Amino acid sequence: MSENTPHGKPISPVTAYKNLVPQAPSALRDLIAALGYPIEPKADGGYAVSVETLTTVAAELSELVDVSPPWGWRYMHGVINGKTKASAKLAQAIFAWGAVVDGSPALLANTQDVVVRAHPGQLHPGSVVLASSRRCPACRVAFVPTVPWQRYCRPQCRMAGGSDGAADA
């Protein structure tokens, strides 16, 4: 097979961020400060950040990890002040945005390394694959389709699968 999960779905990148959830509040505060937004400690141990700032940050983080509808400012406020537990997806967004602030291209900040099999010369080393893989119904190999409607990985599988080929590339 072409991935580590023989017949299941690909492993979610969010899974790796579950261990970073406890660090999310301080990382979010550091990120807000690094971006130049005002964040002030309060006497009760919490932090004061404007609703406008939190709304902007929530929108940017949501866009980075494709969360729709975007997170709200109240959620960000709760996470910053330790009143609300951050989700693994929010932790992923915070650390990805931190990587962008540190100089990583935004496209690479929210990706994971995987092993990809390709014909020689077909992909540049370090390429980013922007399409989702799927399993060929005939041979069960995971592949990245060249067009969205492609169901089979190769013509031989399409013929074995009994398709006339009209909807398959």
Side-chain angles (χ1 to χ4, degrees):
M1 288 293 136
S2 57
E3 60 187 80
N4 292 337
T5 53
H7 294 288
K9 292 186 175 187
I11 298 170
S12 167
V14 176
T15 306
Y17 290 94
K18 285 183 180 177
N19 296 334
L20 296 175
V21 166
Q23 299 172 32
S26 63
L28 183 55
R29 290 190 297 267
D30 292 346
L31 183 60
I32 288 171
L35 292 169
Y37 293 113
I39 181 167
E40 301 293 327
K42 297 190 307 188
D44 66 359
Y47 294 86
V49 184
S50 74
V51 170
E52 181 182 346
T53 295
L54 292 174
T55 301
T56 301
V57 169
E60 292 288 336
L61 290 171
S62 298
E63 185 177 330
L64 185 62
V65 293
D66 299 323
V67 169
S68 182
W71 290 303
W73 70 267
R74 285 184 174 92
Y75 178 52
M76 296 294 127
H77 183 265
V79 170
I80 285 172
N81 287 296
K83 306 287 184 192
T84 305
K85 182 180 176 186
S87 67
K89 191 76 168 178
L90 179 60
Q92 176 186 2
I94 292 166
F95 287 97
W97 203 9
V100 171
V101 169
D102 290 343
S104 178
L107 184 62
L108 295 180
N110 192 35
T111 60
Q112 64 181 0
D113 290 336
V114 296
V115 175
V116 176
R117 308 291 302 174
H119 294 288
Q122 193 173 16
L123 295 175
H124 294 284
S127 293
V128 175
V129 178
L130 299 175
S132 297
S133 67
R134 63 175 53 151
R135 290 218 176 266
C136 176
C139 70
R140 303 300 302 156
V141 167
F143 71 101
V144 177
T146 57
V147 292
W149 53 86
Q150 183 179 353
R151 291 183 48 218
Y152 296 93
C153 66
R154 56 198 180 118
Q156 295 87 337
C157 288
R158 184 176 63 232
M159 299 308 259
S163 173
D164 64 3
D168 299 316

